[in-house]
Amino acid sequence: MDKLKTKIIEEGRVLGSSVLKVDSFLNHQLDVAFLNEIGKEFKEVFKDKEITKILTAEVSGIAIAAIAGLHFQVPVVFAKKTQSLNLDKDTYEGEVYSYTKEQHFKIRVSRRYLSKEDKVLILDDFLANGEALKGLRDIVEAAGATLQGAGVVIEKGFQQGGDQLRSEGMDIRALATISSMEEGNITFR
Amino acid sequence: MDKLKTKIIEEGRVLGSSVLKVDSFLNHQLDVAFLNEIGKEFKEVFKDKEITKILTAEVSGIAIAAIAGLHFQVPVVFAKKTQSLNLDKDTYEGEVYSYTKEQHFKIRVSRRYLSKEDKVLILDDFLANGEALKGLRDIVEAAGATLQGAGVVIEKGFQQGGDQLRSEGMDIRALATISSMEEGNITFR
């Protein structure tokens, strides 16, 4: 998606060797008009797949998935990272390791909102080591639902998650794939 | 908003004396077509106010604010609850007490994404004790921006946040206000 690449080059900030900050439009401030174009693009990319539900993880997948949901015309469910009085006790669980927060944690979806009849599309902002997608796949499998594919806005192609998950059969599409990055220089595959 | 009241009655689950679960459409599973109607309604309610930015707090405000942003055609910023490598160090802060999680925490917005020129609309899912709105107001004030108003999907009118914040001058509009609730019986104001 050319406009996405332009936006990453113009607004992205590279920190160290692996952190790309795109918080001007994707995961802190939200350029909602642009997220709407991203949602439309995901619908185009997955137009041949039957999708009954979009699954993402809090926090940074929510806005992307919600707006994409308008194009797919299906409900969106976001997996929760924290236990709270508001979450049902009866959940499907997945495990995720966060490299940015340097800790393992569980993500959970109430059993009310995913069933074996569902045909699920996973959406997220980034794919790097694939931890979030793995945790979300755990949840889809626990529900006995069918995983139809996964869409990510930005894939860090120089990290191993995408290759590994594709070799395990996950149909992953990235709207932009970065092959290398350093301060002032981002290269796309 | 009549359709919202119907949805609360049909899908809401009352737990104890003050917890209303609406996670089938508002804050776990997202009925995005309905959130789109909510966004349109907020735009109608605040049509006379100039708004340059929508501010909300993670997690449950994000989907509502993002979809409403499409109707207001302005960027959305969500305040973050956790420190992470991905958040700028230079932030505006607000303090919030969560009754559901029984703890105080800070919410933060990068100084890049709010300025004294901004005319801000705060959006959130619930208004009960008003803690989230207070924390978000702190952030607007710290930025020197203008607070134009606050929209909430559901106000628990039997709790004190709305009365208190309105008496302090905040222009708050709720799409549905609950005057009392107990299992099997929700009354609207």
Side-chain angles (χ1 to χ4, degrees), chain B residues 43 45-54 72 74 117-122 146-149 171:
Chain B
K43 174 62 185 165
V45 165
F46 288 103
K47 65 175 186 286
D48 297 329
K49 301 263 183 151
E50 186 192 353
I51 307 294
T52 66
K53 200 154 280 190
I54 291 173
F72 284 87
V74 300
E117 281 74 36
D118 276 316
K119 297 175 193 305
V120 179
L121 174 65
I122 293 173
T146 306
L147 181 58
Q148 296 285 62
D171 179 10

Side-chain angles (χ1 to χ4, degrees), chain B:
Chain B
M1 191 181 174
D2 288 341
K3 193 168 170 183
L4 173 61
K5 291 178 188 167
T6 305
K7 217 158 160 79
I8 292 168
I9 289 168
E10 287 177 355
E11 300 185 26
R13 288 178 286 150
V14 178
L15 304 184
S17 60
S18 67
V19 174
L20 172 65
K21 292 186 69 158
V22 284
D23 56 6
S24 66
F25 65 96
L26 195 63
N27 49 25
H28 183 24
Q29 179 167 255
L30 307 170
D31 180 340
V32 292
F34 185 64
L35 292 192
N36 200 35
E37 292 182 53
I38 284 177
K40 202 169 171 179
E41 182 74 13
F42 277 133
K43 174 62 185 165
E44 175 62 25
V45 165
F46 288 103
K47 65 175 186 286
D48 297 329
K49 301 263 183 151
E50 186 192 353
I51 307 294
T52 66
K53 200 154 280 190
I54 291 173
L55 178 66
T56 189
E58 69 177 33
V59 176
S60 52
I62 296 175
I64 295 158
I67 291 177
L70 294 172
H71 295 276
F72 284 87
Q73 300 186 298
V74 300
V76 172
V77 177
F78 62 87
K80 301 208 172 194
K81 287 182 181 172
T82 49
Q83 280 287 31
S84 119
L85 296 178
N86 281 329
L87 181 62
D88 289 332
K89 297 217 182 310
D90 209 7
T91 57
Y92 300 117
E93 292 187 354
E95 190 167 86
V96 176
Y97 180 77
S98 165
Y99 287 85
T100 46
K101 294 189 182 152
E102 296 171 350
Q103 60 188 20
H104 279 94
F105 57 91
K106 298 239 189 218
I107 56 174
R108 298 177 175 89
V109 167
S110 167
R111 289 179 184 239
R112 292 173 184 262
Y113 305 125
L114 211 53
S115 78
K116 61 180 167 34
E117 281 74 36
D118 276 316
K119 297 175 193 305
V120 179
L121 174 65
I122 293 173
L123 293 181
D124 209 358
D125 57 344
F126 274 98
L127 166 57
N129 294 288
E131 285 291 328
L133 294 192
K134 282 180 217 165
L136 290 165
R137 182 180 60 184
D138 290 347
I139 288 172
V140 174
E141 287 174 354
T146 306
L147 181 58
Q148 296 285 62
V152 296
V153 180
I154 302 170
E155 178 173 354
K156 291 174 178 167
F158 54 90
Q159 290 184 268
Q160 305 310 314
D163 288 347
Q164 189 197 326
L165 289 167
R166 286 185 183 95
S167 76
E168 293 168 15
M170 198 185 287
D171 179 10
I172 304 173
R173 320 285 180 94
L175 302 189
T177 303
I178 295 171
S179 54
S180 71
M181 62 185 206
E182 53 192 54
E183 217 167 318
N185 191 12
I186 298 172
T187 313
F188 294 97
R189 190 178 286 171

Side-chain angles (χ1 to χ4, degrees), chain A residues 170-188:
Chain A
M170 197 186 288
D171 179 10
I172 305 175
R173 320 286 179 92
L175 301 188
T177 302
I178 294 171
S179 53
S180 71
M181 63 185 206
E182 53 192 54
E183 216 166 318
N185 191 14
I186 298 172
T187 313
F188 294 97

